[in-house]
Amino acid sequence: MQKTVKKINRKEETENNLKYWNSKTLDEKLDAVQQLREQYITLFNKQAEYNESRKRLRRFYKIIKQS
């Protein structure tokens, strides 16, 4: 296997990232965020904390909907 190195201009890479994410729909962006959240929860074994926070969010959501 031949090793290769590619130099990347940071400014150009930032612009390419912005163009990429600006071209995505809102649903695609939300899916990407959800995938990252799930990876974080799995990687750092945060399932219990995640479940607890979901309960609080639902309770808060219900209060908002009642008023």
Side-chain angles (χ1 to χ4, degrees), residues 8-54:
I8 300 173
N9 184 326
R10 186 175 289 210
K11 184 178 179 181
E12 289 177 10
E13 187 63 22
T14 302
E15 290 172 2
N16 289 340
N17 283 337
L18 287 173
K19 287 178 187 176
Y20 174 80
W21 286 110
N22 283 335
S23 71
K24 297 297 177 187
T25 66
L26 181 58
D27 287 338
E28 290 172 324
K29 292 175 189 177
L30 289 174
D31 287 341
V33 170
Q34 182 61 26
Q35 286 179 345
L36 291 172
R37 290 178 69 233
E38 290 172 2
Q39 288 176 5
Y40 173 83
I41 290 165
T42 302
L43 183 64
F44 293 104
N45 198 21
K46 300 283 187 180
Q47 192 63 41
E49 292 92 339
Y50 174 69
N51 290 338
E52 192 61 32
S53 69
R54 288 188 53 145

